Amino acid sequence: MQTWRSLGEIPADLGRTVVTIGNFDGVHLGHRTVIRRAVEETAKLAADRLVAVTFDPHPMAVLRPEHAPTSLTSIETRVALLADVGVDAVLVLPFDLDVASWTPEEFIERILVDALHASAVVVGANFRFGHRAAGDVRTLAEVGETHDFVAVGVALDGGPQVWSSTYVRTCLATGDVAGAAEALGRPFSVRGIVVRGDQRGRELGYPTANVPTNAMAAAPSDGVYAGWLRRCDSGETFPAAISVGTNPTFDGERERRVESYVLDRTDLELYGVEVEVSFVERLRGMVKFESIDDLITTMGDDVERARALLGG
C-alpha cells in the first residue's frame, strides 16, 4: 500500500488509475460497496492501480469547525482498512481553504487528470465536491468525456437506514455498539496508549487498562460494555469489561476515558502499550453508586455478563 500525503508525492510516471473519492471515515459497509465496484472497474479497464482519495482534516473542520464530526478512525487506521478491501494507494489530500475554493473543474483537472491519470472515477451516488459542493456525478461524467475517463455513481447501500458515518456516530451516541458494528461490518474500536490512572480499579480487585479519549475522536456514550482488548505490539487479544466515562462515584474526576478490565487477569503489565479496544455489547449506563460495596457488587455482575456474552 502506498500513501501519498500531498500531490507532490505522487510519482510522475504513475500509470492510468481508477479513483474513488470520499472521507471514508470508518470504511463502513456503504464505503465498501463503492470500493467493490471500483475494484471491478480496475480489473475491467486493466488500470495500473486503484487509488482512494480522502481528506485530512475533514472538510467540515475547515469550513464549519463548530459542526465538525468526531472521527471514527484515524488516518492511519483508515488507510489500513482501505488496503484490506482492495485499494492499492491512498492520496490523503490536505484540506484547507485553498482546496475548498477550487471549482469542480479545477478539482478534476488537478487531482483526477494531472495527478492521478484517472481512467474511471467511482463514487457514491450522492457525492458532491468543489466550491460550495457544486460538483456531482453528472459533473464528473460531463468533464470526463473531455479528459478520457468515465464516471460511475454507486447507489447508497444499507437496510432501512442507509449505511453512513453519521449513522455510526448516532449509534455510538446512544451506546448502540451492536448497531454501529452492523454498519461497519466489524466491532467499533478505539486505539491508544495505556496510561497510569488513579489505580482505583486495582484497589477494588479489577485492574484496568486506561486509554484517554480524544474530544475529536468518536467513542461510545458513557456506560459499561463487553468487548475485547488487543495488544497492538503482540496481537494478543483478551475478553474485557469496558467502562467509558468519568467514574461519577468518585467526586472530582472529569477526564473521560476508556477503562478495560481483562477478565480474570491481574498480572498484565500494559502501561505504555498501544492497545485496541473493541466494543461488542452495552451492559448498562453509567451510574453513581451510594457506596463502594454497591460498586464492587455491580462490577462483579458486569464481569459475569461480559463473560457470558463473550463466551469466556
Side-chain angles (χ1 to χ4, degrees):
M1 163 66 80
Q2 292 179 295
T3 305
W4 306 309
R5 290 187 171 269
S6 70
L7 294 179
E9 294 182 9
I10 300 173
D13 60 351
L14 184 68
R16 297 302 297 272
T17 69
V18 170
V19 180
T20 183
I21 314 169
N23 288 307
F24 296 118
D25 192 13
V27 192
H28 52 65
L29 296 184
H31 293 141
R32 295 183 187 203
T33 298
V34 174
I35 293 167
R36 277 198 301 272
R37 180 61 183 277
V39 169
E40 293 170 1
E41 289 294 320
T42 304
K44 182 174 74 174
L45 298 173
D48 183 62
R49 69 192 74 190
L50 170 57
V51 180
V53 177
T54 189
F55 307 94
D56 187 33
H58 191 289
M60 193 66 74
V62 173
L63 299 174
R64 299 182 67 187
E66 68 278 11
H67 296 293
T70 54
S71 298
L72 299 173
T73 50
S74 66
I75 288 294
E76 292 74 20
T77 299
R78 199 176 309 174
V79 168
L81 290 169
L82 289 169
D84 287 344
V85 292
V87 172
D88 301 305
V90 178
L91 169 61
V92 182
L93 186 65
F95 193 88
D96 55 22
L97 291 175
D98 178 51
V99 173
S101 72
W102 293 354
T103 65
E105 291 74 18
E106 284 180 291
F107 182 92
I108 291 170
E109 291 181 8
R110 294 189 187 200
I111 305 297
L112 303 179
V113 178
D114 295 342
L116 297 177
H117 315 309
S119 55
V121 181
V122 182
V123 294
N126 65 341
F127 176 68
R128 304 299 295 256
F129 67 105
H131 185 55
R132 297 186 181 277
D136 56 15
V137 177
R138 178 178 295 182
T139 309
L140 288 170
E142 291 173 349
V143 179
E145 292 180 0
T146 302
H147 291 288
D148 190 30
F149 68 80
V150 296
V152 179
V154 180
L156 302 182
D157 193 16
Q161 169 64 56
V162 171
W163 305 137
S164 70
S165 301
T166 298
Y167 174 72
V168 175
R169 294 186 193 98
T170 299
C171 287
L172 295 176
T174 61
D176 183 9
V177 293
E182 182 183 12
L184 290 168
R186 66 185 187 282
F188 173 77
S189 63
V190 298
R191 291 177 68 138
I193 304 295
V194 176
V195 300
R196 190 175 296 275
D198 49 41
Q199 298 191 314
R200 285 203 178 97
R202 185 175 298 276
E203 294 170 1
L204 299 174
Y206 298 97
T208 58
N210 301 326
V211 177
T213 61
N214 181 325
M216 290 310 297
S221 62
D222 289 5
V224 178
Y225 300 83
W228 302 90
L229 180 143
R230 181 178 69 87
R231 292 183 63 131
C232 297
D233 55 357
S234 68
E236 289 181 283
T237 302
F238 308 95
I242 307 158
S243 171
V244 180
T246 59
N247 288 328
T249 299
F250 300 99
D251 293 334
E253 295 190 9
R254 294 293 180 266
E255 182 185 61
R256 193 166 186 261
R257 55 195 172 187
V258 175
E259 302 182 69
S260 303
Y261 166 65
V262 174
L263 303 189
D264 307 316
R265 296 292 297 270
T266 60
D267 59 327
L268 296 175
E269 293 296 335
L270 296 173
Y271 294 129
V273 175
E274 184 178 19
V275 298
E276 179 180 56
V277 180
S278 301
F279 298 84
V280 173
E281 191 70 61
R282 182 179 174 92
L283 300 177
R284 61 174 173 85
M286 191 59 69
V287 177
K288 182 173 182 177
F289 293 92
E290 295 300 322
S291 72
I292 299 301
D293 287 342
D294 289 344
L295 171 60
I296 293 174
T297 298
T298 302
M299 290 172 71
D301 292 341
D302 294 337
V303 168
E304 291 307 314
R305 291 181 62 198
R307 180 180 289 109
L309 281 166
L310 301 171

